[in-house]
Amino acid sequence: MKSGPSDQPHFPQAGPYDIRLGYSRLPELLQHLAKHGFEVHAQARISARMEELVAQGLFIPYREKSQAGLEITADDGEPLYRAAFPARVYADFQSVPPVVANSLTFIENRELLDLTQPKKNPAVDWNRLGRAVLDKAIQLFRPEHDVSGGSTLATQIEKYRHSPNGMTLNATDKLQQIASASVRTYLQGEYTLPTRKQILVDYLNTVPLSAAAGFGETNGIGDGLWAWYGLDFDETNHILNSRFAQGDALTEKARLYKHVLSLMIAQRRPSYYLIAGRKELGELTDSYLRVLAQAGVIPARLRDAALELPLNFRVARSPEEGRNFASKKAVNAVRVQLASQLGLQRMYDLDRLDLSVQSTLDLELQKKTTDMLRELKDVEHAQAAGLYGQRLLGTEDPGKIIYSFTLSELTPQGAKFRILADNFEQPLDINKGTKLDLGSTAKLRTLVTYLEIVEALHNKYATLAPKVLNGQEVDPGDILSRWAIGYLLQSRDKSLASMLDAALERKYSANSEERFFTGGGSHVFHNFKHEDDRKIMSVREATKNSVNLVYIRLMRDIVRYHMFQVGGSSARILKDVGNSGRVEYLRRFADKEGTEFINRFYLKYKGKTTEPGGISKLLFSSFRHTPRRLAAAHRYVYPESTLAEFEKFMAPYLPGFKRVTPTMVQDLYEAYAPGKYSLADQGYVVTVHPLELWLVRYLNSHPLAQYKDVIAASTDERIAVYQWLFKTIHKNSQDVRIRGLLELEAFLEIHRSWKRLGYPFDSLVPSLATAIGSSADHPAALAELMGIVLNDGVRMPAVLIERLRFGAGTPFETMVERAPIQGEKMFSPELAAAVRGVLTDVVERGTASRLARAIVEEDGAEISIGGKTGTGDHRHITFSSPGVIKESRVVNRSATFVFFIGDRFFGTMTAFVPGADAANYTFTSALSTQVMKHLLPILKPLIDRAQPLPEQILARNAIKGELPEERKKGSRKEGKKENEKLEMSQLARHLIELH
């Protein structure tokens, strides 16, 4: 092994063994890893002599592994997971029952263990090879003549491991196998008996025996006994080792021996004998029993007992190992990510690689956390954890609540996952695999978006002179821009930090009686606490107490900002009604804005055309389903669809739709027939941008179209979509449509901002309700945002896998580690500090106050905790035409707490009840915070070990001259002497100078 990647050429071998263990695919696997930030740390270099032998056409000569597979360890090297293939093997020659060894050598290689030839080359059996050559010569004149095999066990191993497809196609292949086996034999010296014994063991452990249902590729007698016959390997060997079996014991020994013998014979045509030719295999095995007894290899009584017994194949598929999904959830997360980063499609292929992986997980805490979450399904443990009470559990069954917890640690090498735990006994990952309504946690994203706008306005206006600032033209509807200008004109402190703090003190009404036009209709929203309805409060206070109506109005200001501030906004052009060049201006505007939106939608659907119906599925998931919207979308996207196709499409989307009368189906089908509405009207009905609707239709009929083709084809549509906005007839109804379209465009901008910060989905619900959770989220994605906030606005890549080692102890050995990383700045440290301050308030005096002072050190110093709570009550509601609720069906209920602890740790705690059972639960986010409180004693050792702060945070604080107030608690500096602060500051400055 030498540092860095090898400059020697890779020596691929195309045999099944090399493919299965990943040796032949190593360059490809390393390329995939490089795309995910890994680099080769060290790699094996082969010797000059080995290189010479390979150049002469030999397989690479080294001591090969008979058993290998994926190994995953925790951060400290403790084993988390091991997949060994084959799973059942003989450890050494002594462990092989003599009757098995003697039978194999008699059938395949009688001179293999000849003690009179200590230096014998086991690759060649001259008698057997001569017979095979003679048979081949006879076959030239008599084609029906059978040719006996000339391969020894050593050459057979070379063949099924390294020859393409495990086959010998010509004499050259045979010579390559013999020469390779010969060189491999003498690697340990000229006395070959130990090597010959190992050859026998290797053959028994690795001989190919086809693929069994539910098991997969089967190699070796041990796995073959289990996969094909359901026989226990260890028990079989124990019984076959017994010398004086009589009666029933003899019968059992004979039964097991016959099954072992059948596998030795089946290896010649395993796919036939073990699947279709089982009768022939039984007959052939009986004939071998007679020959072996006649030759004295087995006693006659064993033969006679075995001849009376049939081969009993396993009827059912091989049962999988006991499923304990909760305990394996973290391991499976590692495997899924690993397969993705290696470019593998199946876990099956991943588990069979000769690969060891070090994860970032803390094994001890992972186990303790999982055990604790599983215990909470029990009433007694739930009571002991304090999960009963107001806004928690009442008489509900705690056993139906799924708890999921993640914890990551900020390090210079990235944001390392330390715990990924849940109590869900299914393979689904709640944190990433579900689209959950996480309620008020959406306020965290809304708050960050709001402060990003304030930061952008500060960058735009803060350096302008008062006279210039006074002259800025701002639309009266752009509340945020007007506030920013007013603040900068009046405030003496024009720093970003001060302006952000002032933005958090801006006040809004929490009145719940106002009706809001949003999402294509008129809506009313409610606060969680009715006593908030008559209050006027700041953004900071509304975040602390999670007040909905303040955030609805805050989101309205955000939407209006995007309406008037984003370049090319439709809202601005509406003012130019009296412009004489309005038509030409409109054409240029429409083409420019339409091109921008076409570009966004093309990127959204790019790559989905290869999936059957992929782009259509994505479109239909982008809006709330009603019969009118689905009908309008389907009839536009599939204009040639028949009535039967239309009805088949509609049924799965709308529960109970099959009960709709045929007449109603016919009416919907005809109401939105092609040509009845303009593209703009179709988009309005569906509540998606008209150009998105057009693009999906175009890509459905032109799946290979490139971006330039889309732009060329959409010229007329880009202009037509906007032209109707400027007609003056029926102005009121147009204004309604205009507002809906402008809101839709604004939410496309908001979605871009959210997506940049890790939002996991391809669209937002274009409604003010998105501010309080209507667009759903992933707990893992919220945790990623919390990590950015904690790290002063810098996103560090999430790290679950630290290093990989391929082919340990082989010429292919390669050690791969993460390349040095550089965080990506997402927003300013000042913005991050402002958000942290608000989130700390949520814990100290707000909706998560049960966690206030939850971690206090022996010296009285408090480690700060901040976070945002959210309760999701996801319902499918059906309205009648007057707006009356006809049906309200509960889909799920969730309670989430996304948090940070101190300076380094962040994550999420989620409680979740899926399906109709959720209707029986009334818990709020108080449940997730209480579970978090119960979990903190388990986490505290890790938090204590993580002190002091990382060097980069020390250096950052040294530049500022002191630690920010809200960071002092989390960094355990309260109560410390002033000179210790000074020493730390000096040390950090010294680190900067050294760097």
Side-chain angles (χ1 to χ4, degrees):
M1 292 293 290
K2 290 186 179 180
S3 297
S6 171
D7 55 1
Q8 293 176 322
H10 180 71
F11 297 100
Q13 295 180 162
Y17 176 88
D18 309 291
I19 294 172
R20 182 172 66 249
L21 272 63
Y23 301 153
S24 64
R25 295 183 285 173
L26 190 56
E28 175 191 349
L29 298 176
L30 294 177
Q31 275 187 347
H32 281 288
L33 287 173
K35 296 175 184 177
H36 292 89
F38 290 91
E39 61 184 12
V40 174
H41 176 69
Q43 200 163 23
R45 273 69 161 175
I46 68 172
S47 67
R49 177 59 177 153
M50 181 178 280
E51 187 173 358
E52 180 183 339
L53 290 169
V54 173
Q56 292 174 3
L58 272 67
F59 300 129
I60 302 178
Y62 66 99
R63 181 74 183 92
E64 297 173 329
K65 302 176 181 179
S66 289
Q67 189 181 47
L70 176 66
E71 296 183 24
I72 301 174
T73 66
D75 186 56
D76 59 359
E78 286 294 310
L80 281 172
Y81 176 83
R82 183 168 187 261
F85 296 95
R88 302 156 186 85
V89 296
Y90 291 110
D92 49 37
F93 183 78
Q94 286 69 34
S95 62
V96 180
V99 67
V100 174
N102 295 337
S103 299
L104 178 63
T105 54
F106 179 83
I107 295 171
E108 297 289 349
N109 202 163
R110 297 181 186 179
E111 298 179 4
L112 178 67
L113 301 179
D114 188 351
L115 300 179
T116 65
Q117 302 183 62
K119 299 181 181 181
K120 175 178 172 56
N121 179 3
V124 183
D125 184 330
W126 292 110
N127 292 332
R128 185 166 185 155
L129 183 60
R131 176 62 185 272
V133 172
L134 179 61
D135 284 341
K136 190 66 177 177
I138 295 172
Q139 193 181 55
L140 293 175
F141 301 98
R142 294 170 54 192
E144 71 278 5
H145 182 73
D146 289 334
V147 179
S148 59
S151 297
T152 62
L153 292 184
T155 55
Q156 285 188 55
I157 292 173
E158 297 292 330
K159 176 185 71 172
Y160 66 65
R161 278 184 169 174
H162 304 303
S163 294
N165 297 314
M167 300 173 64
T168 305
L169 300 180
N170 49 49
T172 302
D173 289 347
K174 178 59 67 180
L175 290 174
Q176 182 186 36
Q177 295 160 10
I178 292 174
S180 298
S182 299
V183 172
R184 205 181 304 276
T185 294
Y186 292 104
L187 287 177
Q188 307 301 322
E190 60 182 338
Y191 292 95
T192 61
L193 185 58
T195 300
R196 285 183 273 156
K197 291 180 178 180
Q198 188 60 46
I199 286 171
L200 182 141
V201 175
D202 288 346
Y203 182 87
L204 288 171
N205 285 339
T206 62
V207 58
L209 294 171
S210 192
F215 187 88
E217 183 182 0
T218 308
N219 293 285
I221 298 297
D223 277 3
L225 285 172
W226 172 251
W228 292 112
Y229 300 129
L231 297 176
D232 182 87
F233 184 55
D234 292 334
E235 182 183 358
T236 297
N237 289 317
H238 175 72
I239 293 174
L240 292 181
N241 270 318
S242 61
R243 295 187 178 182
F244 305 106
Q246 299 291 334
D248 291 343
L250 177 61
T251 302
E252 181 64 7
K253 181 175 181 178
R255 183 179 75 88
L256 296 174
Y257 172 71
K258 184 172 184 177
H259 285 80
V260 172
L261 179 62
S262 71
L263 294 177
M264 295 181 190
I265 299 166
Q267 63 84 19
R268 297 174 183 180
R269 295 176 65 192
S271 294
Y272 171 72
Y273 283 131
L274 294 170
I275 299 174
R278 293 178 176 181
K279 180 180 178 182
E280 290 84 349
L281 177 60
E283 294 172 351
L284 195 57
T285 302
D286 287 345
S287 68
Y288 268 86
L289 285 168
R290 298 184 184 97
V291 172
L292 287 163
Q294 184 178 358
V297 177
I298 62 173
R301 56 193 177 86
L302 183 62
R303 173 202 61 196
D304 295 340
L307 287 172
E308 297 296 322
L309 301 169
L311 293 177
N312 292 319
F313 283 84
R314 183 195 287 276
V315 177
R317 291 161 55 105
S318 302
E320 299 180 25
E321 294 182 11
R323 297 187 176 188
N324 187 347
F325 290 111
S327 62
K328 295 179 180 178
K329 199 64 64 78
V331 164
N332 287 337
V334 176
R335 292 169 66 225
V336 168
Q337 185 174 117
L338 186 60
S340 173
Q341 293 178 344
L342 290 171
L344 300 176
Q345 300 298 317
R346 303 186 302 169
M347 296 294 110
Y348 179 94
D349 296 326
L350 175 68
D351 282 348
R352 282 157 178 77
L353 295 179
D354 183 7
L355 172 63
S356 58
V357 177
Q358 182 179 334
S359 73
T360 62
L361 298 170
D362 187 304
L363 177 60
E364 181 182 1
L365 294 186
Q366 177 73 31
K367 185 178 184 306
K368 288 182 177 180
T369 303
T370 301
D371 290 345
M372 191 214 80
L373 295 179
R374 295 174 77 176
E375 288 174 351
L376 295 182
K377 285 181 171 287
D378 177 73
V379 173
E380 291 185 6
H381 284 96
Q383 288 175 336
L387 302 189
Y388 287 87
Q390 188 178 10
R391 298 177 186 171
L392 299 168
L393 297 179
T395 59
E396 303 95 333
D397 178 8
K400 293 182 179 180
I401 303 177
I402 298 168
Y403 295 102
S404 181
F405 177 76
T406 69
L407 184 73
S408 298
E409 180 181 3
L410 285 174
T411 74
Q413 294 78 37
K416 296 184 179 182
F417 285 104
R418 297 305 187 195
I419 301 174
L420 294 171
D422 66 30
N423 64 349
F424 188 40
E425 294 295 347
Q426 293 294 330
L428 179 67
D429 182 353
I430 299 299
N431 290 293
K432 291 184 177 180
T434 54
K435 187 172 185 178
L436 293 179
D437 179 350
L438 299 180
S440 291
T441 54
K443 292 170 185 170
L444 174 59
R445 292 197 185 277
T446 306
L447 177 66
V448 172
T449 301
Y450 167 56
L451 294 181
E452 281 189 304
I453 291 173
V454 174
E455 183 176 356
L457 291 170
H458 179 272
N459 294 337
K460 181 177 181 180
Y461 294 129
T463 58
L464 299 182
K467 184 176 180 180
V468 178
L469 200 56
N470 258 321
Q472 296 295 309
E473 291 187 12
V474 179
D475 192 281
D478 186 358
I479 305 298
L480 297 183
S481 294
R482 293 173 65 83
W483 172 84
I485 291 173
Y487 171 82
L488 291 170
L489 284 171
Q490 298 174 9
S491 176
R492 293 184 179 180
D493 185 354
K494 293 180 172 54
S495 68
L496 176 58
S498 177
M499 187 169 175
L500 291 169
D501 188 64
L504 291 171
E505 298 304 327
R506 290 183 62 242
K507 289 182 168 53
Y508 286 91
S509 168
N511 178 19
S512 61
E513 295 179 1
E514 181 180 356
R515 301 187 72 86
F516 295 84
F517 181 85
T518 184
S522 180
H523 295 269
V524 174
F525 301 99
H526 303 281
N527 294 313
F528 182 75
K529 295 180 180 178
H530 293 300
E531 54 264 35
D532 292 331
D533 292 352
R534 300 185 180 277
K535 293 181 179 178
I536 296 175
M537 62 184 72
S538 67
V539 174
R540 185 189 303 277
E541 186 180 0
T543 308
K544 179 181 69 175
N545 296 312
S546 200
V547 180
N548 288 342
L549 267 300
V550 169
Y551 264 84
I552 292 293
R553 292 182 171 91
L554 176 61
M555 180 61 88
R556 182 170 62 183
D557 282 355
I558 293 171
V559 168
R560 288 174 175 174
Y561 167 81
H562 285 295
M563 285 182 179
F564 294 102
Q565 286 296 317
V566 175
S569 169
S570 304
R572 286 186 173 276
I573 200 172
L574 292 177
K575 293 185 176 183
D576 296 328
V577 177
N579 192 319
S580 59
R582 178 172 169 273
V583 174
E584 180 58 30
Y585 180 65
L586 167 63
R587 177 175 290 274
R588 285 188 282 112
F589 154 77
D591 187 61
K592 181 176 181 296
E593 182 166 279
T595 301
E596 169 66 19
F597 281 108
I598 284 286
N599 179 58
R600 291 193 206 177
F601 298 135
Y602 180 79
L603 293 175
K604 176 179 177 178
Y605 292 100
K606 185 178 180 181
K608 299 293 191 299
T609 54
T610 57
E611 307 169 16
I615 56 175
S616 298
K617 290 178 183 177
L618 184 55
L619 170 69
F620 294 130
S621 68
S622 299
F623 58 88
R624 187 168 65 86
H625 298 155
T626 67
R628 292 178 65 250
R629 292 173 181 175
L630 284 165
H634 187 268
R635 293 294 277 136
Y636 182 84
V637 173
Y638 299 103
E640 305 298 327
S641 67
T642 64
L643 178 61
E645 291 170 336
F646 173 75
E647 185 173 4
K648 182 180 178 181
F649 160 79
M650 293 288 281
Y653 281 97
L654 298 173
F657 185 77
K658 291 182 179 179
R659 296 194 297 269
V660 176
T661 65
T663 302
M664 294 174 66
V665 175
Q666 179 82 26
D667 289 346
L668 283 171
Y669 179 77
E670 294 178 354
Y672 298 99
K676 283 206 170 185
Y677 293 92
S678 68
L679 174 58
D681 287 339
Q682 293 279 95
Y684 172 73
V685 172
V686 180
T687 66
V688 300
H689 198 286
L691 290 177
E692 181 174 6
L693 205 58
W694 175 87
L695 180 66
V696 171
R697 175 172 166 173
Y698 180 80
L699 290 178
N700 266 333
S701 56
H702 302 81
L704 301 179
Q706 301 297 311
Y707 177 69
K708 59 182 178 61
D709 303 321
V710 172
I711 292 298
S714 63
T715 302
D716 293 340
E717 283 76 11
R718 295 201 306 272
I719 295 172
V721 160
Y722 293 97
Q723 208 158 16
W724 65 274
L725 292 173
F726 300 91
K727 296 177 182 178
T728 57
I729 303 174
H730 307 303
K731 186 175 184 304
N732 289 338
S733 62
Q734 287 183 357
D735 285 347
V736 171
R737 296 188 176 194
I738 289 171
R739 285 200 302 269
L741 182 58
L742 295 183
E743 184 178 53
L744 178 62
E745 292 175 349
F747 271 100
L748 288 171
E749 292 293 337
I750 295 168
H751 176 258
R752 180 190 296 191
S753 173
W754 283 27
K755 192 77 172 176
R756 174 175 156 269
L757 296 176
Y759 183 72
F761 304 119
D762 291 324
S763 61
L764 291 176
V765 176
S767 164
L768 300 182
T770 284
I772 57 175
S774 68
S775 290
D777 216 321
H778 279 166
L782 278 170
E784 180 184 357
L785 176 57
M786 186 62 78
I788 299 170
V789 170
L790 182 60
N791 199 38
D792 276 353
V794 176
R795 172 160 51 202
M796 299 293 278
V799 178
L800 184 56
I801 299 167
E802 294 212 75
R803 56 185 60 87
L804 304 91
R805 186 180 185 183
F806 292 92
T810 74
F812 306 100
E813 184 169 0
T814 304
M815 298 181 70
V816 181
E817 294 186 356
R818 287 199 164 271
I821 64 168
Q822 186 171 4
E824 179 184 6
K825 183 177 180 181
M826 308 307 294
F827 43 73
S828 67
E830 291 86 350
L831 192 156
V835 175
R836 286 196 305 273
V838 175
L839 298 181
T840 303
D841 285 345
V842 171
V843 172
E844 290 183 352
R845 295 178 293 275
T847 55
S849 58
R850 65 183 63 236
L851 289 170
R853 293 185 58 81
I855 306 180
V856 180
E857 299 299 324
E858 293 180 359
D859 60 3
E862 177 189 346
I863 295 180
S864 66
I865 302 176
K868 184 70 190 78
T869 59
T871 303
D873 182 19
H874 188 188
R875 296 171 181 266
H876 184 279
I877 301 175
T878 305
F879 295 91
S880 63
S881 54
V884 178
I885 295 177
K886 293 172 60 179
E887 178 189 17
S888 178
R889 177 170 52 85
V890 176
V891 177
N892 60 57
R893 188 173 186 85
S894 66
T896 300
F897 180 56
V898 54
F899 62 86
F900 67 81
I901 302 174
D903 288 293
R904 298 181 64 169
F905 296 97
F906 62 93
T908 57
M909 169 62 76
T910 301
F912 173 62
V913 179
D917 288 332
N920 301 321
Y921 292 80
T922 58
F923 62 78
T924 69
S925 57
L927 181 63
S928 56
T929 54
Q930 181 61 34
V931 174
M932 182 73 188
K933 183 177 182 180
H934 185 60
L935 182 60
L936 283 177
I938 294 176
L939 306 181
K940 192 172 183 301
L942 176 63
I943 297 167
D944 289 342
R945 289 199 303 269
Q947 304 298 333
L949 298 173
E951 290 177 1
Q952 74 272 23
I953 299 180
L954 288 173
R956 180 192 70 210
N957 293 330
I959 294 171
K960 296 179 181 179
E962 62 177 356
L963 293 171
E965 190 65 31
E966 77 276 9
R967 305 282 271 192
K968 291 180 181 178
K969 300 175 184 176
S971 55
R972 299 172 63 200
K973 296 301 181 290
E974 278 189 351
K976 300 296 182 183
K977 295 180 181 179
E978 197 64 35
N979 63 342
E980 290 178 337
K981 289 185 182 180
L982 181 60
E983 288 171 3
M984 184 177 297
S985 178
Q986 290 171 341
L987 171 63
R989 291 180 187 278
H990 181 58
L991 288 170
I992 296 169
E993 291 167 0
L994 288 175
H995 180 68

